[in-house]
Amino acid sequence: MFHSGLEVNVNERWFRLASKPDTLLVVDGERIQRWTNDYWISALHRVAAVKQWRYSALFCSGPDVNSMIETLPCEKCMEKPSRYPPITVDEHFQNRQA
């Protein structure tokens, strides 16, 4: 197993993730958590030092700042009342910076 150095926090404990060769790990943020009404959660993560070569790239992309973030109309997302009111991407960024 190849250790990428990526670690996630679950219940106040850090776990190192092992990746398979020729795979791509994608870590998304809070928009996914809001869109899925907490069905998928945003993982607290970090990258630890490893003694192996690795290639790591940061790529930030997202919807237009005027796009709405609201619960997706999927079965799993709608099993319980939405925990988040609709909000624009810009409002979400402003709230995170406050």
Side-chain angles (χ1 to χ4, degrees):
M1 263 314 155
F2 175 74
H3 293 283
S4 63
L6 180 62
E7 298 178 343
V8 295
N9 189 296
V10 178
N11 297 325
E12 306 296 323
R13 293 185 53 209
W14 288 99
F15 295 90
R16 182 166 284 185
L17 300 181
S19 62
K20 296 179 183 179
D22 300 320
T23 60
L24 175 66
L25 292 171
V26 178
V27 178
D28 202 345
E30 295 168 347
R31 288 188 313 258
I32 291 293
Q33 188 165 334
R34 290 182 74 104
W35 274 321
T36 64
N37 200 27
D38 292 343
Y39 181 70
W40 287 341
I41 60 168
S42 175
L44 179 60
H45 62 283
R46 67 184 182 189
V47 178
V50 294
K51 294 181 180 180
Q52 299 168 310
W53 284 96
R54 71 168 185 248
Y55 180 77
S56 184
L58 176 63
F59 175 73
C60 295
S61 179
D64 182 271
V65 294
N66 295 314
S67 296
M68 291 299 292
I69 303 172
E70 54 191 324
T71 303
L72 296 171
C74 65
E75 185 177 327
K76 292 289 183 183
C77 302
M78 302 298 283
E79 285 181 350
K80 57 186 176 193
S82 183
R83 296 190 56 192
Y84 307 99
I87 190 171
T88 66
V89 170
D90 186 54
E91 291 169 327
H92 176 65
F93 287 146
Q94 296 298 323
N95 289 346
R96 292 293 297 143
Q97 290 177 353

